[in-house]
Amino acid sequence: MSHSSQTVTEDRDDAAPSPPPWEQRLRRFGYTPRAGAGVRERLVPPYPLPGAKLWQYFGLSPAAARRLAHWSAWGGPLLVALLAGVLRFVNLGSPDAVIFDETYYAKDAWSLLQHGYETEWPENADDEIIAGRTPEADEASYVVHPPGGKWVIALGEWMFGLTPFGWRFMVAVLGTLSVLMLCRIGRRLFRSTALGCLAGLLMAVDGLHFVMSRTALLDLVLMFWLLAAFGCLLADRDSARARLAAALPTGGDGLLRPDADIGTRLRLGPRPWRVAAGICLGLAAATKWNALYVLAAFGILIVLWDAAARRTAGAPRPYRAMLRRDAVPAFVSTVPVALVVYVAAWAGWFATSGGYYRNWAEENGADSSFSWVPGPLRSLWHYTFQVYDFHVDLTSAHDYESNPWTWLAATRPVTYFYSSREQGEDGCEHASGCAREVLALGTPLLWWAGCFAVVYAVWRWLFRRDWRAGAVLCGVAAGYLPWFLYQERTIFYFYAVVLVPFLCLAVAMMIGAILGPPGCPERRRVAGIVGAGVLVLLIVWNFIYFHPIYTGTEIPLDGWRARMWLDTWI
């Protein structure tokens, strides 16, 4: 045993040291350290054994109940994802129209398939496409988003043609898979299959995620890759901490002992999950550039997680150890990987010569200081710079623009499609008239509960030092706070779909607290179950109530008005 680890062991055998100053201060706000948590449990918290008593109530034998409970780790998430998929794919081609910004991305995706770059379309192209005809489009178009997300939409069009079902298919697939991912991410984060499945269920019945999963826009694709990156980083965190735990010495009582030398010097070797996160972040940036803010935020999260792991393992100066052993590999496995993936997403633009600004470097000469950079890369940089200026200066007024201050309260949703008829017109039988709408609106009760859940997560992060709350808040902040830098820019509520997974995780964490901590009195547990159950049922009912205006289902005009709870929703 090294001298440093022996010192730690001797300190443990003496009287328990007084808590550090930060802990003494936080105890005034309700902080309580986890009792009996050893080094192994703090590095790699175990998954609790799956409960089997519930299944025995249905007549299963104890052995069968244990097997079923064990299978629930994947069976539960798959069932929730199946529900989400059914909801998203039923009548996916309705409305049979080009709705909202599908007029850009569905056609851009088709152009990528045909030419490798986006092209201009005639003014009546939408009507021609719905009529089953495909207009000619050859001239390069100036577009303001990278092609990565449009290639995803194009995959559905390649399989099913230039139809509403075709251009919405892959977005619905990613929407369904994101629910499955969130179930598994929540399970890993909370070490609870039930809370993980609850987070996935909440996202399955969120109206904004639902509508965006059935519309060929880029923001759902962006959300998918950002959530996948978060899941990869979470898996990497567990893997790295498991390697630290495996290297630590064991005392005579069989418990792990912190070791300053191991905590400071141990190299953690290849970290493929971190490379996978870099790939996902590159795909996110190749969909929309605001992914760069999330890349920066996740970089901070990586630094904090690595330092915390080395502190738990015994490093006396964890940040210095992290900088020496982890910082450079972390940077190389994320930022350059993301950059390579982003440039690769422009493969069609590089492989052809007709894309917008494709030949800018050759036509405008080379800057002597960058002449060593290939012309196509200089052209791409010029294109990127021009589009950045476009986004920053986009201040044109729009009926459905909203300020990010209002997003969490869901006060200004976006109408993607609306049509109405009077009684007797085209078969409308309702006295008040008929209406159809596709409204990009988060399930109100879920989002309003999410406001309280975010506040609870802040309290839990600050005063309980709960890293899980910090991780959730990082996801919320990365997708939300940067928009406050662009108060004059035209922005929309549906951009907030990237927040939905993290809001659902926050609500699931809050519901876990409502259920009560392990070992709480039976009366407290029953009250918690009733309260949590009522909240979840109300959210599900709220989604069902608004379902017609999420799907464009025709309803009486009076019924439509009844669902306009706020004047700003119209």
Side-chain angles (χ1 to χ4, degrees):
M1 180 182 296
S2 66
H3 174 72
S4 56
S5 61
Q6 184 177 357
T7 302
V8 172
T9 303
E10 291 172 353
D11 290 342
R12 288 176 61 97
D13 293 338
D14 296 333
S18 60
W22 66 263
E23 185 175 310
Q24 297 180 39
R25 291 194 298 269
L26 290 183
R27 282 183 174 181
R28 285 179 281 175
F29 297 95
Y31 173 81
T32 53
R34 285 184 296 174
V39 176
R40 185 187 301 277
E41 288 71 22
R42 285 185 288 137
L43 280 173
V44 188
Y47 289 92
L49 294 175
K53 290 184 178 179
L54 175 64
W55 304 110
Q56 294 182 40
Y57 292 142
F58 294 95
L60 295 178
S61 66
R66 285 195 298 271
R67 285 196 297 271
L68 190 58
H70 180 74
W71 292 340
S72 66
W74 272 103
L78 287 172
L79 286 176
V80 175
L82 177 62
L83 171 65
V86 170
L87 289 172
R88 281 149 180 75
F89 278 95
V90 170
N91 294 325
L92 181 60
S94 176
D96 186 17
V98 180
I99 65 174
F100 198 59
D101 281 356
E102 286 184 341
T103 188
Y104 303 116
Y105 307 125
K107 291 182 291 189
D108 284 347
W110 186 258
S111 294
L112 288 175
L113 279 178
Q114 305 302 314
H115 305 284
Y117 56 87
E118 297 89 339
T119 60
E120 294 282 358
W121 292 73
E123 291 185 4
N124 65 339
D126 291 353
D127 295 333
E128 291 287 301
I129 291 170
I130 295 302
R133 298 182 292 271
T134 304
E136 292 293 329
D138 296 320
E139 183 181 352
S141 174
Y142 177 71
V143 294
V144 294
H145 290 297
K150 288 171 278 189
W151 277 114
V152 172
I153 296 171
L155 182 58
E157 293 177 339
W158 174 71
M159 291 187 285
F160 300 103
L162 189 59
T163 64
F165 182 87
W167 61 65
R168 295 169 190 160
F169 176 79
M170 282 304 300
V171 183
V173 169
L174 296 190
T176 302
L177 290 178
S178 65
V179 171
L180 176 62
M181 279 199 306
L182 189 64
C183 291
R184 294 289 297 177
I185 287 171
R187 180 179 185 271
R188 182 179 290 273
L189 187 67
F190 302 129
R191 290 304 197 261
S192 168
T193 299
L195 289 182
C197 289
L198 174 61
L201 175 64
L202 292 174
M203 192 161 76
V205 297
D206 174 63
L208 182 60
H209 186 275
F210 176 77
V211 171
M212 297 298 288
S213 298
R214 293 168 54 88
T215 312
L217 271 65
L218 301 179
D219 299 85
L220 191 284
V221 182
L222 172 66
M223 182 280 303
F224 176 85
W225 293 122
L226 294 179
L227 179 61
F230 181 79
C232 290
L233 292 178
L234 200 60
D236 171 75
R237 180 185 186 275
D238 278 359
S239 176
R241 293 168 79 93
R243 293 182 195 178
L244 279 170
L248 290 176
T250 304
D253 53 5
L255 299 178
L256 293 186
R257 297 289 188 255
D259 186 285
D261 188 61
I262 291 175
T264 301
R265 300 178 181 277
L266 182 69
R267 296 185 181 275
L268 297 176
R271 302 178 71 166
W273 281 113
R274 197 165 275 185
V275 175
I279 293 172
C280 292
L281 289 168
L283 291 169
T287 301
K288 271 192 155 184
W289 285 319
N290 51 304
L292 296 177
Y293 291 107
V294 183
L295 172 61
F298 283 179
I300 296 173
L301 196 65
I302 289 172
V303 167
L304 296 177
W305 281 356
D306 283 348
R310 291 193 176 274
R311 178 191 296 114
T312 304
R317 296 180 178 83
Y319 285 95
R320 180 182 296 182
M322 176 273 301
L323 290 173
R324 288 180 174 178
R325 293 288 182 260
D326 305 321
V328 173
F331 177 85
V332 171
S333 59
T334 51
V335 177
V337 170
L339 179 61
V340 170
V341 171
Y342 171 80
V343 173
W346 291 83
W349 186 84
F350 283 120
T352 58
S353 59
Y356 206 88
Y357 278 137
R358 172 61 179 81
N359 302 308
W360 177 86
E362 289 79 2
E363 294 171 356
N364 292 273
D367 187 328
S368 58
S369 58
F370 293 100
S371 58
W372 54 274
V373 179
L377 289 178
R378 294 201 305 274
S379 297
L380 178 59
W381 172 251
H382 176 74
Y383 195 174
T384 301
F385 185 77
Q386 294 297 315
V387 173
Y388 175 78
D389 283 346
F390 168 85
H391 281 294
V392 172
D393 297 333
L394 181 61
T395 57
S396 56
H398 195 285
D399 291 340
Y400 293 106
E401 65 180 310
S402 63
N403 192 286
W405 286 107
T406 68
W407 286 0
L408 293 182
T411 60
R412 189 53 177 161
V414 181
T415 294
Y416 286 177
F417 173 84
Y418 180 83
S419 67
S420 62
R421 295 177 293 153
E422 297 181 356
Q423 184 182 20
E425 182 183 352
D426 294 333
C428 176
E429 300 178 354
H430 301 290
S432 62
C434 301
R436 296 181 65 195
E437 183 174 27
V438 176
L439 185 66
L441 168 69
T443 301
L445 294 185
L446 173 59
W447 281 70
W448 296 341
C451 295
F452 293 97
V454 168
V455 173
Y456 171 72
V458 171
W459 174 82
R460 193 164 185 90
W461 179 49
L462 291 177
F463 300 131
R464 290 294 182 91
R465 291 294 182 101
D466 191 332
W467 71 271
R468 301 168 302 175
V472 172
L473 290 172
C474 179
V476 173
Y480 184 40
L481 296 183
W483 289 109
F484 287 93
L485 300 174
Y486 305 99
Q487 290 290 302
E488 302 300 323
R489 188 189 184 279
T490 307
I491 54 180
F492 301 93
Y493 166 69
F494 65 82
Y495 296 171
V497 72
V498 298
L499 309 180
V500 173
F502 302 100
L503 286 179
C504 292
L505 288 171
V507 174
M509 175 180 282
M510 182 179 69
I511 290 176
I514 293 173
L515 289 171
C520 65
E522 184 176 354
R523 179 177 296 181
R524 168 69 178 85
R525 177 71 72 194
V526 171
I529 291 174
V530 171
V534 168
L535 177 58
V536 173
L537 289 176
L538 284 174
I539 291 172
V540 172
W541 164 83
N542 203 203
F543 172 77
I544 295 171
Y545 179 70
F546 282 101
H547 187 266
I549 63 172
Y550 293 147
T551 57
T553 302
E554 187 170 87
I555 57 176
L557 190 58
D558 285 344
W560 175 83
R561 291 194 184 101
R563 288 165 172 81
M564 297 296 105
W565 287 1
L566 302 178
D567 292 340
T568 54
W569 290 2
I570 300 175

